[in-house]
Amino acid sequence: MGPLSARLLMQRGRPRSDRLGKIRILDLSGLKLISEHLDPKLMCRLTQLQELDLSNNQLETLPDNLGLSHLRILRCGNNQLRDVTALCQFLQLEELSLEGNPFLTVNDNLKVSFLLPKLRKVNGKDASLTCSQVENLNRELASRVTAHWEKFMAAVGPEEKAEKAQADFVKSAVRDVRYGPESLSEFTQWRVQMISEELVASGGTLVHEADNPGRRPKAAAAQKPRARLMALKRPDDVPLNLSPNKRACASLSAQVEGSLVGSDGGQPALKLEPLHFLQCHSKNNSPDDLKTQLWACAFEPAWEEGATSQTVATCGGEAVCVIDCQTGIVLHKYKAPGEEFFSVAWTALMVVTQTGHKKRWSVLAAAGLRGQVRLLHVRAGFCCGVIRAHKKAIATLCFSPTHETHLFTASYDKRIILWDIGVPNDDYEFQASQLLTLDTTSIPLRLCPVASCPDAYLMAGCEGGCCCWDVRLDQPQKKRVCEVEFVFSEGSEASARRVDGLAFVNDDVVASKGNGLGTICLWSWRQTWVGRGCQSTVAVVVLARLQWSRTELAYFSLSTCPDEGIVLCGDEEGSVWIYDVRSVLKQPPPLPAAPQAPTQILKWPQPWAHSQTVTKTMVNMVVANPTFSYLTALTDSNIVAIWKRQ
């Protein structure tokens, strides 16, 4: 396809006319157009154009001066767009489609919401939530840039020239002003530069956009679709679903009550501040949904060594959400109608682009009721692969800690499968291959690669106990049975009890739950494994027992924070049990007769939802990022709760 002609525009325009100025709708999709084909002189003649379809072409950019002042609907899906700032010329734009542009990320979605004040829909979805997030980011960034200005100018000597000092300030602000997750840094630095330049131009007086009603007329309305939860627990007359199967947010306000109950020991309680309570998994986006059960969450791996992540993925119902813990912003939301997601897991891949550049991808795997694994490219915001892994529901999944493309899936079909998802091809698609099949005698609930030898052994907590498999790929058998079953009390019925919590505290110590009512067991992998000999059933070497809830309900998943020596678990009352086990593990034998008390119990805060308190909830899962700066808990009442460590 060559450059556009007036004749072609009239042929593909509606209503049919021999004058370009009368065309209101124009379809230029699927013409293999490149950016140079969009001649501004020709396009400017479309003075009444309101709807333009440029999808399924090869556009990398849009010219800056197309002159379409009345354009309300623009479709640019399935192109190669790398930048969205040229869209600022379409000030009347109300609907925009950018799906299928692999180089665009969540940063570009935020830029679009900032640049287009009348935007109502992006990719077919209501844009008001993103607009609200942009307003909040703008306010915080403006405040931080202003504070940086005052500090910077106070240090400027009288001999320095004003022009140089102002230029240095802009560079300094872009370098030093930080807010929000690393995944939004492109947007925040872009805005910091703009705000800094505005501040310099105004001589240090910044007009906050939040106070300027002309900047974004829909800003106030943008807050309405998100229900504001204030003190949340469900009313007493709403029954909880206590089924032992998968027991099947809008943002909460700061009026939150909660308490920290410390143990009787000498360890000080951690100071944790309730930060955000989100209702972001609601069915049909209903603010009244306090029933969708949330099952799993995981923090994104840090992008740099030594850094820590504040981005967490959560799943429940038909949605997977990616949330920035600092701001409470839902960075991405993926929905699969008819699915119920039970598990999520992250990996980081190094991908070579079509131009030969290496690029790091954060890939999120999500699975559940349908037995399918969806591989989500989080930054670009789309699903780039589906693995039809099992015929029954997938209970849990996890990536290998040493092979970033190796994924374990565990299903209600009593099988665990190891996959190699590979790296995406030129069309950004995955082609997964099956490496191993591990048979189980009962449903696997939790997966746990052995910390000291993850390439050799995999443990799983199952309905019938705790099992271990040899997963070395240099062995010939591709279908394997359980090599060792761990029992927690010799000669008792404990060997047949469910293990629904399993995680390593460090390279040796394992935390497991479900094998004893009201306790969490800490045991030594190394001592247990050395003493097994050729036995297929081995009693674990218990190091300590931790006191936990006496509930008979199951599927409260525990987690650990190895760098901090912490074990975490929720309960049926909405509390979070926190154990600092470093001192416990240093105690000499013999073991205390009574289980060790928790370091503290974080009581469920009571936010308000629609003029009522949510007084009953269960915390199905709780995780912390590696430095324990943020803690995220998932409930059976559609609430993602986030605390920040002080």
Side-chain angles (χ1 to χ4, degrees):
M1 180 70 194
L4 297 174
S5 65
R7 181 179 179 182
L8 178 65
L9 298 186
M10 288 185 284
Q11 287 176 347
R12 300 182 69 104
R14 297 290 183 275
R16 288 290 182 88
S17 173
D18 58 357
R19 295 178 59 186
L20 295 180
K22 292 188 176 182
I23 294 175
R24 294 180 178 271
I25 301 174
L26 181 59
D27 182 0
L28 298 178
S29 62
L31 296 179
K32 298 184 179 180
L33 296 175
I34 61 175
S35 304
E36 290 74 14
H37 292 162
L38 298 179
D39 181 5
K41 292 182 179 178
L42 179 63
M43 299 296 288
C44 283
R45 294 167 61 186
L46 298 164
T47 55
Q48 297 301 315
L49 190 67
Q50 297 186 15
E51 184 173 339
L52 175 60
D53 190 345
L54 293 171
S55 58
N56 300 303
N57 284 297
Q58 299 169 7
L59 301 173
E60 294 186 0
T61 60
L62 292 177
D64 291 329
N65 51 349
L66 292 177
L68 306 177
S69 59
H70 291 86
L71 194 65
R72 295 188 305 105
I73 300 173
L74 176 61
R75 300 183 183 91
C76 291
N78 298 314
N79 279 281
Q80 300 293 314
L81 293 176
R82 298 169 181 268
D83 183 56
V84 296
T85 53
L87 294 172
C88 66
Q89 62 188 298
F90 308 127
L91 294 178
Q92 303 303 314
L93 203 64
E94 298 177 8
E95 297 183 23
L96 174 65
S97 175
L98 293 171
E99 290 179 310
N101 285 275
F103 300 108
L104 298 184
T105 70
V106 65
N107 291 277
D108 298 291
N109 291 340
L110 297 177
K111 288 181 182 180
V112 161
S113 294
F114 174 78
L115 294 169
L116 302 172
K118 294 188 176 182
L119 197 63
R120 293 186 299 105
K121 286 187 176 182
V122 178
N123 299 332
K125 299 177 182 178
D126 187 358
S128 58
L129 176 58
T130 306
C131 291
S132 174
Q133 294 171 348
V134 168
E135 291 292 339
N136 293 334
L137 282 171
N138 279 335
R139 277 193 291 269
E140 182 64 29
L141 291 173
S143 174
R144 294 187 179 215
V145 172
T146 301
H148 188 72
W149 165 270
E150 293 171 354
K151 182 178 179 181
F152 183 89
M153 296 308 291
V156 172
E159 69 282 357
E160 293 189 49
K161 293 185 178 180
E163 294 82 1
K164 184 180 184 302
Q166 291 171 350
D168 289 345
F169 164 72
V170 174
K171 294 178 183 178
S172 172
V174 172
R175 183 184 66 245
D176 297 335
V177 175
R178 291 286 183 268
Y179 182 66
E182 179 66 25
S183 58
L184 294 186
S185 60
E186 181 187 337
F187 172 78
T188 55
Q189 290 183 19
W190 178 73
R191 283 295 297 131
V192 164
Q193 180 166 348
M194 295 173 69
I195 294 169
S196 302
E197 291 170 348
E198 292 170 10
L199 198 61
V200 167
S202 65
T205 304
L206 186 65
V207 178
H208 289 273
E209 288 156 6
D211 303 326
N212 184 356
R215 177 65 185 91
R216 186 172 293 280
K218 302 183 71 161
Q223 300 285 348
K224 294 180 181 178
R226 296 187 83 189
R228 302 295 297 181
L229 303 180
M230 290 187 306
L232 260 189
K233 283 197 178 187
R234 288 191 292 181
D236 291 334
D237 59 348
V238 179
L240 291 171
N241 179 0
L242 304 183
S243 164
N245 297 318
K246 282 291 181 184
R247 301 183 311 266
C249 122
S251 174
L252 301 172
S253 86
Q255 298 180 14
V256 178
E257 298 177 3
S259 62
L260 303 176
V261 180
S263 71
D264 295 332
Q267 291 177 311
L270 299 169
K271 294 182 179 180
L272 292 161
E273 173 194 4
L275 195 59
H276 305 291
F277 291 78
L278 309 174
Q279 195 181 359
C280 49
H281 291 263
S282 299
K283 189 173 183 179
N284 299 321
N285 295 322
S286 170
D288 300 319
D289 180 4
L290 293 174
K291 296 182 179 179
T292 294
Q293 297 179 83
L294 311 183
W295 289 112
C297 54
F299 276 88
E300 180 183 15
W303 281 61
E304 298 177 1
E305 188 175 349
T308 189
S309 173
Q310 61 189 39
T311 304
V312 67
T314 61
C315 73
E318 62 183 15
V320 174
C321 294
V322 179
I323 302 166
D324 172 47
C325 290
Q326 182 183 32
T327 62
I329 291 176
V330 178
L331 304 173
H332 174 65
K333 185 173 183 178
Y334 175 80
K335 279 191 174 184
E339 179 66 278
E340 182 176 4
F341 288 106
F342 293 154
S343 187
V344 289
W346 290 93
T347 190
L349 303 179
M350 193 60 67
V351 178
V352 180
T353 67
Q354 292 175 337
T355 57
H357 295 96
K358 289 185 177 180
K359 201 168 187 178
R360 185 186 187 276
W361 273 25
S362 281
V363 175
L364 181 67
L369 189 63
R370 289 184 173 181
Q372 300 176 350
V373 179
R374 288 170 169 81
L375 300 171
L376 309 179
H377 181 356
V378 175
R379 283 208 166 194
F382 65 87
C383 177
C384 47
V386 177
I387 305 172
R388 288 166 175 79
H390 298 268
K391 292 182 179 179
K392 291 188 177 181
I394 295 174
T396 187
L397 46 73
C398 75
F399 279 98
S400 163
T402 52
H403 297 281
E404 65 273 11
T405 64
H406 287 189
L407 174 68
F408 291 98
T409 60
S411 170
Y412 283 75
D413 63 11
K414 300 180 183 178
R415 288 181 178 176
I416 300 169
I417 298 179
L418 173 59
W419 304 86
D420 187 346
I421 66 170
V423 293
N425 58 24
D426 290 344
D427 295 323
Y428 301 96
E429 297 172 342
F430 286 91
Q431 299 294 328
S433 59
Q434 187 172 324
L435 301 178
L436 287 178
T437 299
L438 312 176
D439 288 333
T440 68
T441 57
S442 61
I443 298 171
L445 304 173
R446 305 287 176 243
L447 296 178
C448 187
V450 174
S452 59
C453 47
D455 294 336
Y457 295 103
L458 174 76
M459 289 199 301
C462 305
E463 286 286 356
C466 183
C467 299
C468 181
W469 289 263
D470 185 335
V471 294
R472 288 175 291 183
L473 294 176
D474 58 359
Q475 305 298 308
Q477 300 88 354
K478 299 305 177 186
K479 188 172 183 179
R480 304 175 189 179
V481 296
C482 169
E483 182 164 321
V484 178
E485 181 179 356
F486 298 111
V487 296
F488 295 84
S489 180
E490 292 187 49
S492 76
E493 297 178 357
S495 61
R497 284 192 175 179
R498 174 191 301 117
V499 173
D500 58 8
L502 192 65
F504 273 86
V505 180
N506 54 38
D507 282 349
D508 176 47
V509 179
V510 184
S512 61
K513 183 185 73 67
N515 43 68
L517 187 63
T519 61
I520 293 171
C521 181
L522 300 182
W523 53 281
S524 169
W525 158 265
R526 190 174 297 114
Q527 295 178 52
T528 301
W529 193 253
V530 167
R532 77 181 183 100
C534 297
Q535 302 175 72
S536 59
T537 301
V538 181
V540 301
V541 177
V542 177
L543 302 176
R545 287 186 172 87
L546 308 177
Q547 176 190 340
W548 184 66
S549 168
R550 298 289 299 176
T551 181
E552 295 185 1
L553 298 173
Y555 312 116
F556 298 99
S557 180
L558 64 77
S559 68
T560 60
C561 190
D563 291 346
E564 301 291 320
I566 285 178
V567 177
L568 301 163
C569 194
D571 70 8
E572 79 287 1
E573 297 293 336
S575 298
V576 175
W577 297 61
I578 303 175
Y579 310 85
D580 186 337
V581 299
R582 288 172 293 190
S583 60
V584 174
L585 295 175
K586 292 177 181 177
Q587 293 180 2
L591 287 175
Q596 301 290 297
T599 305
Q600 69 189 81
I601 299 175
L602 189 64
K603 291 294 185 180
W604 173 248
Q606 299 195 11
W608 290 86
H610 314 297
S611 302
Q612 65 184 16
T613 58
V614 180
T615 55
K616 289 186 178 180
T617 194
M618 292 189 285
V619 173
N620 291 330
M621 188 173 194
V622 53
V623 298
N625 64 344
T627 58
F628 206 82
S629 51
Y630 292 99
L631 182 148
T632 301
L634 303 186
T635 72
D636 75 329
S637 52
N638 188 29
I639 300 165
V640 179
I642 300 173
W643 283 264
K644 182 179 181 180
R645 184 177 179 180
Q646 295 298 296

